[in-house]
Amino acid sequence: MTELLVLVSPSANRVYADVAPQLMVAEIRCLATGFIDSEVEVEATEIAGVAYLSVRADDLGPSGVRALSNLSAVHALFEREGELLRPVALDRVDTYPSDLLTIQKYPGKTNEQLTRLLLNVTAAATARPQRLLDGSLDVLDPMCGRGTTLNVAMTYGLDVTGVDIDKKDLESYETFIKTWLRQHRFKHTVEAGALRTGGQLRGRRLDIEAAPTKEAFKAKATQRVTYLGTDTTDLAGLLRAATFDVVVTDTPYGVQHGSHGDRIARNPLALLDAALPEWVRVLRTGGAVGMSYNRHVAKPGALADLLVEHGLDVVGDPDDQRFRHRVDASIDRDIIVARKT
Ligand SMILES: C[S@@+](CC[C@H](N)C(=O)[O-])C[C@H]1O[C@@H](n2cnc3c(N)ncnc32)[C@H](O)[C@@H]1O
């Protein structure tokens, strides 16, 4: 039996700092199904007054250590050596500096650690979870706002596509990412313009190709970010079938964040019902959809029924409360994952 101790990262976000250990226990159990071959036991523990998560398995294997190194809020990993703790080198996939995820602050931003957790948990549910860590997972966030998922995917070295109907979100993302890439001197190209199909104007699009080094850019070892500024319920003709391994999104909460587009969708279930046919079409067989949602506006049972109606298999019990956490008085957040088999 091997044991690794996970030290949870201190988060500047109070809500997330309070719930991160609980969420990470559930996250580790999900990652274990995708990355660790033997039975895994996870529990909170305390050593010399400091909280850790203990992960025990007959064999964690290199892929298990790698998966734990990329948990949403991991700060450090240790092994026990008698009375002492020995650091285990983190095997992070991070391709770009972490300020890509932390600089942007705006009302309605999805916490970057929660976004990472959602991507991890959804990828672990696919038929090919290792694609998360080898850079080949294709990611779609069909309601990407100002791009937290786009930035998390880029950090993982993945290609990603985002869609959002709010024109201001695309503009803000474009300004941010162009400035960030320029200031960090990462070689990149940007193309922005009208989004058209068959002579019809469908919105705006932004295409970015970037690499963390000049050599990687030259060798075409790049990350591609595509942002389609359009309605996610009307994607026909814009994305090819079976293109994505995961569809991950933080769904509208039915509350208004300043000028943010959440006001557009007061009834997330109706929005999802209209959007799911295209999301399922562009998902590869063996791929998975992962969504965070507000239980005040969508009940887990109703959401699970909707996913099943659209041909997906819900992973686990949608009301097991493992990822449920209170964000504020109006948001009782949870996560649901479903597979395309
Ligand atoms: C909870 S926010 C996502 C926030 C995002 N993860 C971020 O960190 O910036 C939900 C998003 O859904 C978008 N949305 C609502 N209805 C939509 C539709 N019909 N098509 C595309 N996007 C939509 C909103 O504009 C909003 O940006």
Side-chain angles (χ1 to χ4, degrees), residues 106 108-111 115 141-149 163-166 169 227 230-233 249-253 257 260-262 264-265 271:
Y106 49 87
K109 176 180 175 182
T110 312
N111 176 279
T115 304
D141 181 343
M143 295 192 287
C144 68
R146 294 202 212 167
T148 309
T149 306
V163 177
D164 206 284
I165 198 169
D166 191 328
D169 280 357
Y227 193 135
T230 194
D231 188 339
T232 199
T233 65
T249 201
D250 187 26
T251 61
Y253 288 95
H257 293 292
H260 206 263
D262 257 8
I264 297 165
L271 171 68

Side-chain angles (χ1 to χ4, degrees), residues 83-116:
E83 290 286 291
L84 304 177
L85 295 186
R86 197 164 59 79
V88 173
L90 285 179
D91 189 2
R92 300 279 278 184
V93 288
D94 295 32
T95 308
Y96 294 96
S98 61
D99 66 342
L100 174 60
L101 301 175
T102 52
I103 287 181
Q104 275 187 303
K105 297 201 171 24
Y106 49 87
K109 176 180 175 182
T110 312
N111 176 279
E112 58 275 6
Q113 288 176 335
L114 184 91
T115 304
R116 200 166 171 136

Side-chain angles (χ1 to χ4, degrees), residues 108 251-258 260-268 294 296-297 328-332:
T251 61
Y253 288 95
V255 293
Q256 191 165 341
H257 293 292
H260 206 263
D262 257 8
R263 68 189 180 284
I264 297 165
R266 290 224 166 258
N267 181 351
N294 183 3
H296 289 314
V297 295
D328 57 34
S330 58
I331 302 177
D332 176 11

